[in-house]
DNA sequence: CTCGGAATGGACAATCTAGACCGCGGCATT
DNA sequence: AATGCCGCGGTCTAGATTGTCCATTCCGAG
């Protein structure tokens, strides 16, 4: 696992169908060397699989928001975790630096689903207020679902 | 977009490197018919891209940030997409409501990797400034991002 | 300096892709 | 009913890519 492997992983992340020759041209290896490394990365389970990113609109969960969470006083991460794990629409969440205490990524079927999920988050004790940024158009979605 | 397309998407989700012939054998089409449909799905942006799933532990991509992007004037989503797709550390991004133009979710190996990725985003024309919230502790992680 | 192991690059056959071409069936027009 | 058009699938072929071989190079140990 060296910088060559990391370069290969970066390229494959961008386009998992790039040819070995093309990858080699960028990282400075021959096609066969790249193939050997990719095979090894797969065998070592560093690469878990090759997959596609599908338009989220297809599976109907196309309304998203990033929500900043502001709490009263100090709130332990465990407390936040307890609150958020009860809301299935929460895709992603973490405590963060800055004025907000946490950022929560919510994905729902539509705006009313989003509102309902937000309501559940807000109902939690210690949550002072939230600030939402609703996603207008999704640009990148590298998550493999 | 019919059941054949859905079958193809399912197979590609499981293994994006499957050959057209193999896919066709499962869904009941010839290789070229499958290729035509896949090409169309890509052209229609139903398939957003081909990527790999990397073991987060081995890869050590554990430093994350949510970055608000503020642009000068109006920026077309396509322009933002062009900029951001060149930065592999960008996991997730979308234009949003609110004062920021877009929110970008970045995952890097460490703080310096984060800084480098941020630098790449900032270098883009029209990007006025950014505001980052670095993730301190990850609470929820439902998507295999 | 020499040895041994690991990794590389080149060569080649097998395989797969990309695109052209043709045929079939549905549909609107005449 | 006949005609022409259009979408979709199958077959075929040239070209690119993959998978695998082996000789060579590189690097650290002794």
């Amino acid at each position: 696992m060296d910088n060559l492997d990391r370069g290969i992983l970066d390229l494959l992340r961008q386009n998992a169908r790039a040819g070995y020759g093309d990858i080699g041209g960028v990282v400075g290896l021959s096609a066969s060397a790249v193939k050997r490394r990719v095979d090894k990365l797969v065998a070592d389970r560093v690469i878990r699989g090759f997959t596609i990113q599908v338009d989220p609109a297809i599976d109907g969960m196309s309304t998203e928001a990033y929500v900043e969470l502001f709490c009263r006083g100090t709130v332990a991460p465990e407390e936040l975790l307890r609150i958020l794990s009860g809301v299935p629409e929460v895709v992603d969440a973490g405590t963060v630096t800055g004025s907000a205490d946490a950022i929560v990524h919510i994905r729902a079927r539509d705006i009313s689903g989003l509102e309902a999920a937000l309501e559940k988050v807000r109902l939690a004790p210690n949550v002072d207020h939230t600030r939402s940024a609703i996603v207008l158009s999704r640009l990148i979605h590298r998550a493999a679902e």
Side-chain angles (χ1 to χ4, degrees), chain A:
Chain A
M1 188 56 171
D2 55 11
N3 282 333
L4 284 170
D5 282 331
R6 270 183 265 277
I8 291 170
L9 287 179
D10 278 349
L11 290 170
L12 284 178
R13 251 194 281 263
Q14 288 175 62
N15 176 18
R17 302 221 310 182
Y20 295 133
D22 297 336
I23 296 172
V26 176
V27 301
L29 285 176
S30 70
S32 50
V34 173
K35 172 177 155 40
R36 267 191 298 267
R37 281 175 178 265
V38 172
D39 286 348
K40 186 166 193 319
L41 288 170
V42 171
D44 294 348
R45 314 255 331 121
V46 174
I47 294 176
R48 292 288 179 83
F50 296 82
T51 186
I52 54 174
Q53 299 152 253
V54 178
D55 187 340
I58 298 298
D59 32 86
M61 298 292 272
S62 53
T63 307
E64 295 179 61
Y66 291 94
V67 181
E68 289 176 283
L69 224 63
F70 299 85
C71 299
R72 270 182 293 275
T74 55
V75 176
E78 296 76 32
E79 174 73 2
L80 277 175
L81 177 58
R82 203 185 51 71
I83 296 167
L84 295 174
S85 42
V87 186
E89 287 88 351
V90 173
V91 170
D92 217 23
T95 57
V96 294
T97 63
S99 55
D101 292 297
I103 288 185
V104 181
H105 183 182
I106 294 181
R107 179 176 301 150
R109 197 168 311 285
D110 49 31
I111 287 286
S112 71
L114 199 62
E115 186 176 22
L118 237 132
E119 208 52 48
K120 275 190 270 186
V121 172
R122 279 214 203 90
L123 274 177
N126 294 353
V127 173
D128 188 86
H129 66 283
T130 59
R131 181 163 62 199
S132 303
I134 295 173
V135 174
L136 296 172
S137 79
R138 173 144 296 279
L139 299 170
I140 305 268
H141 186 56
R142 297 221 169 91
E145 288 169 30

